[in-house]
Amino acid sequence: MLPAERLKGIEAFVASVDAGSFTAAAQRLSLTNSAVSKSVARLEDRLAVRLFDRTTRKLALTDAGAAFYQTCVRVLADLAEAESVLAAGRAEPVGRLRLDAPAAFGRMKVWPLLLQFAESHPHLHPHVSFTDRFVDLIEEGIDLAVRIGGPEHWPATLGHRYLGRERLIFCAGPSYLARHGVPASLDELVAHAAVLYGRADGSTSPWRIAHPDGTVERRTMQGRIVVGSGEAQVAAVQAGCGIAQLATWLVEDKLASGELTAILPELTTDGLPLNLVWPVGRQLQPKVAAVVTWLADGLRVSDADRSRQSSR
């Protein structure tokens, strides 16, 4: 077990790195700027190494500081986990919880689950944002985020729980298929009008084409319509504007009702991974741990779900 003396200054050091300055770290820790600065200075003296290159504008980690930071994050995470495991069994989720989720997935899938949880835990006060932009959880003070896509290896500053992968299926509206016919092969499919997801920089998401040998091709398409919203893509397809490749969670109800028709279901393929992500310092606070468990149970994509989605 580490002597208590070795832990002095670590919290102030990590907060300073995360916040970018002693002043911002002091606000997060409810300390004075001087207290944080002196705590980090004493830590450097004890370690006999410079952790920061200080300028008048910002703090920059030295190479030694960067390596030490990664170790400190793991140490604080382990301590938080050990304390929270004891507290989670007896503590009611209370206080504000900031959660961020992708716009369409958040409204359709996350929000109903969170409302159920909030109704059962009246002392929890969720503050929820729905956005498709990248959110820096630590910088923006987010307790928990739902991510579609993300790195293969998450940084040490973030904890995560893998939920599975979305499934992608081609679909069109009955009116479009009545006018243009149902494509019976990949060659016929790519000749049809495409409704694509586009980004502000002008790029579009390619279609993911599953081949019989198991390979997946990323094919760039020319879109008749390009729009930066999955819900708007669905509306365009319903209106008969073309064929889109969409996540099954986005269209499963409309496929079941007949408002949309699945095209070449054998081309259904994996999409992006789904994860719950949180800053490790808050990873098992009772309120965060409880919401992580609740959302993971409600959002997890099982093999049975995947088979059912693919057969529609």
Side-chain angles (χ1 to χ4, degrees), residues 167-171 183 185-192 194 196 205-222 243-246 263-271:
R167 293 287 281 171
L168 302 178
I169 191 166
F170 292 101
C171 51
S185 66
L186 176 59
D187 288 341
E188 291 183 11
L189 173 67
V190 298
H192 278 258
L196 303 178
S205 293
W207 279 1
R208 295 172 63 88
I209 308 294
H211 292 287
D213 62 2
T215 61
V216 177
E217 171 193 356
R218 294 170 60 88
R219 183 173 298 194
T220 300
M221 299 291 296
Q222 295 297 317
I243 295 175
Q245 186 179 46
L246 297 164
I263 305 298
L264 296 171
E266 64 271 20
L267 296 182
T268 300
T269 188
D270 282 339

Side-chain angles (χ1 to χ4, degrees), residues 12 29 38 48 82 89 104 113 115 123 167 169 188 195 206 225 227 237 263 284 293:
L29 298 174
K38 289 179 179 178
L113 289 170
L115 287 177
H123 299 296
R167 293 287 281 171
I169 191 166
E188 291 183 11
V195 178
I225 292 179
V227 61
V237 173
I263 305 298
L284 279 178
T293 299

Side-chain angles (χ1 to χ4, degrees), residues 132 196-206 218 226-229 272:
D132 289 328
L196 303 178
Y197 184 91
R199 303 175 186 83
D201 62 5
S203 64
T204 59
S205 293
R218 294 170 60 88
V226 178
V227 61
S229 162
L272 296 172

Side-chain angles (χ1 to χ4, degrees), residues 82-166:
E83 293 175 358
S84 297
V85 163
L86 297 177
R90 65 176 186 271
E92 167 73 11
V94 298
R96 187 176 78 160
L97 182 135
R98 291 197 60 194
L99 183 144
D100 183 79
F105 189 79
R107 288 190 291 267
M108 295 176 63
K109 298 298 182 180
V110 179
W111 187 233
L113 289 170
L114 194 60
L115 287 177
Q116 293 174 19
F117 188 86
E119 194 276 333
S120 300
H121 299 84
H123 299 296
L124 184 73
H125 305 292
H127 287 220
V128 183
S129 56
F130 299 122
T131 175
D132 289 328
R133 71 177 178 86
F134 176 81
V135 174
D136 187 315
L137 274 63
I138 295 173
E139 182 177 327
E140 300 189 35
I142 302 296
D143 295 300
L144 178 64
V146 180
R147 290 274 174 85
I148 300 180
E152 183 178 347
H153 301 289
W154 293 89
T157 53
L158 296 177
H160 75 284
R161 183 172 297 185
Y162 176 70
L163 304 176
R165 284 182 174 270
E166 55 180 9

